Amino acid sequence: MADTSYRRWPFFEARHAAFAEALEQWAGAALSPHDATDVDQRCRTLVRQLGAAGWLRHAVGGVRHGGASDVIDTRAICLARETLAYHDGLADFAFAMQGLGSGAISLAGTEAQRAAYLPSVAAGTAIAAFALSEPDSGSDAASLQCAARAEAGGYVLDGEKTWISNGGIADFYVVFARTGEAPGSRGITAFVVDADTPGLSISARIDVMAPHPLATLTFTNCRVPDSQRLGTAGEGFKLAMRTLDVFRTSVAAAALGFARRALDESVARATSRRMFGGVLADLQLTQASLAQMAMKVDSAALLTYRAAWQRDQGETVTREAAMAKYVATEGAQQVIDAAVQLWGGAGVVHDAPVERLYREIRALRIYEGASEVQQLIIARELLREPRAAAAAAPISR
């Protein structure tokens, strides 16, 4: 039984605890994780289930357009991802991508754009995707090369996007392309591109260790009308970063859900596995391992929900979100590795609970900012004020 005492922490309001409890009950009854033979179909099914049950409303901003509130509640997003990840990694993926894929529309879409896309995302009848990464542009997203050439009435997109989650099953993609208003990050614009737009093709599907829909997109003379541009031309990179800021803390929450499940599976195994005239939990090394796992889980939870709470108070959480993502994902990897070790040979059997977690956690240390990038962000934010003060100080001779 998962520990839910953290829901009483002062980071949360009563509605958050009620939300988490309701989702926990639904997930326990509705979700049964396994390696599906048709991952695309299972993901579509999960999106429909999450939408029909009302959970996707929390991934969309704007009550008028199907959202649970006018502003996305970061704590609710994190509680949802932690709970879903605990039960089923693909269900967490399906929920998260509906939010990330439509997040730029929630943040910067026109009334017409929001009305056209968000209600179906919230209902689970349309699948969203976020297309930022490229073959030579991942962590350094500002160096992207996919181009959007302005023409009368719209733009023509040419280039490639890769590592695109929901690629191949999405009904629309939020695409970031270089429009050239200025060098680097200041010359990028965002567009909503429907999946059936001529000139957009799925050029490759990508198989990864924890299966989920993933693809490379190719744009060839792909015409997009002005009405599909999101926000101001040249401001797309800022919009991408704003979108990621909403959801980066939730990556930490997903890692936390995986880690909690691994800890619970470890406790259950240690207290039932007979050996040396007792059980595995009687051994002091087992107890030490469980203690380390528990401390990593609680440390990650504190950082994750601090960042979520601060963002919901309207504060900038660049450093706090980076800390949460780094500690939660790195810690979850360690917790899950220890869980596999405690399970012994049974822990490496394909589709065993801890084996599945071992595959599911790995990508979280990479996507939405690799662990190395999070460390750079933390250091940059830590040094920002001292550097500014040093630059402003008179030079002593």
Side-chain angles (χ1 to χ4, degrees):
M1 181 67 178
D3 175 21
T4 60
S5 61
Y6 68 95
R7 295 175 190 166
R8 298 194 297 272
W9 288 353
F11 295 127
F12 302 111
E13 300 169 28
R15 61 189 174 87
H16 292 114
F19 167 77
E21 176 60 28
L23 180 54
E24 176 73 36
Q25 292 182 9
W26 179 86
L31 300 179
S32 178
H34 57 85
D35 282 347
T37 54
D38 188 340
V39 175
D40 287 1
Q41 185 54 46
R42 183 153 191 268
C43 200
R44 291 188 182 100
T45 299
L46 284 166
V47 170
R48 288 196 297 269
Q49 287 179 308
L50 288 163
W55 305 118
L56 292 179
R57 296 174 56 245
H58 297 273
V60 169
V63 174
R64 290 178 58 190
H65 304 301
S69 59
D70 284 330
V71 178
I72 292 175
D73 186 327
T74 314
R75 286 167 291 177
I77 289 283
C78 288
L79 286 166
R81 291 203 64 183
E82 179 186 343
T83 303
L84 292 170
Y86 183 95
H87 288 277
D88 181 357
L90 195 59
D92 164 63
F93 166 85
F95 176 88
M97 286 312 306
Q98 288 296 92
L100 182 63
S102 65
I105 302 174
S106 291
L107 290 171
T110 64
E111 181 66 21
Q113 290 168 341
R114 289 172 174 155
Y117 290 99
L118 295 182
S120 56
V121 170
T125 56
I127 295 178
F130 182 82
L132 178 63
S133 296
E134 297 182 5
D136 297 315
S137 167
S139 294
D140 182 14
S143 67
L144 65 83
Q145 295 302 309
C146 181
R149 183 181 74 255
E151 66 170 19
Y155 294 80
V156 179
L157 275 63
D158 287 285
E160 197 171 56
K161 295 289 179 182
T162 195
W163 306 114
I164 305 307
S165 292
N166 278 346
I169 70 167
D171 294 289
F172 67 88
Y173 300 86
V174 172
V175 180
F176 298 86
R178 187 164 297 286
T179 44
E181 289 78 9
S185 64
R186 293 175 294 168
I188 294 169
T189 303
F191 304 90
V192 185
V193 183
D194 292 326
D196 60 358
T197 303
L200 166 58
S201 63
I202 306 301
S203 52
R205 294 299 300 270
I206 304 169
D207 292 327
V208 289
M209 60 198 299
H212 66 270
L214 197 67
T216 298
L217 317 180
T218 298
F219 298 88
T220 307
N221 202 32
C222 180
R223 285 180 161 77
V224 179
D226 278 327
S227 61
Q228 296 298 96
R229 189 186 74 208
L230 275 173
T232 305
E235 297 292 315
F237 184 77
K238 291 181 181 178
L239 178 57
M241 294 304 104
R242 287 174 61 203
T243 305
L244 290 171
D245 277 348
V246 174
F247 293 95
R248 181 169 287 128
T249 302
S250 79
V251 180
L256 182 58
F258 290 146
R260 282 197 199 279
R261 180 61 180 268
L263 176 57
D264 287 351
E265 294 288 349
S266 297
V267 170
R269 178 73 171 178
T271 53
S272 62
R273 172 65 165 160
R274 306 294 303 180
M275 59 169 49
F276 304 125
V279 293
L280 183 58
D282 294 333
L283 303 179
Q284 289 182 332
L285 284 175
T286 301
Q287 295 171 17
S289 181
L290 292 172
Q292 290 291 330
M293 295 162 76
M295 287 187 286
K296 287 181 172 66
V297 166
D298 273 16
S299 297
L302 286 162
L303 285 172
T304 298
Y305 289 114
R306 177 189 70 167
W309 175 80
Q310 285 184 278
R311 192 183 184 285
D312 285 343
Q313 308 314 303
E315 299 179 25
T316 299
V317 294
T318 302
R319 183 178 73 169
E320 290 79 5
M323 286 181 172
K325 184 180 186 296
Y326 179 87
V327 170
T329 57
E330 291 291 324
Q333 182 80 68
Q334 295 163 13
V335 168
I336 292 166
D337 184 74
V340 172
Q341 195 72 13
L342 280 172
W343 269 60
V348 294
V349 174
H350 182 73
D351 213 27
V354 294
E355 185 273 341
R356 188 171 57 247
L357 291 167
Y358 195 85
R359 288 182 284 115
E360 287 174 329
I361 188 54
R362 190 59 184 85
L364 275 67
R365 294 168 59 204
I366 298 172
Y367 74 68
E368 291 193 39
S371 293
E372 292 76 10
V373 173
Q374 301 309 318
Q375 292 176 82
L376 294 176
I377 291 171
I378 294 164
R380 182 193 67 197
E381 294 301 309
L382 185 65
L383 294 169
R384 186 185 299 278
E385 290 188 10
R387 282 178 169 170
I395 299 174
S396 57
R397 298 185 182 278

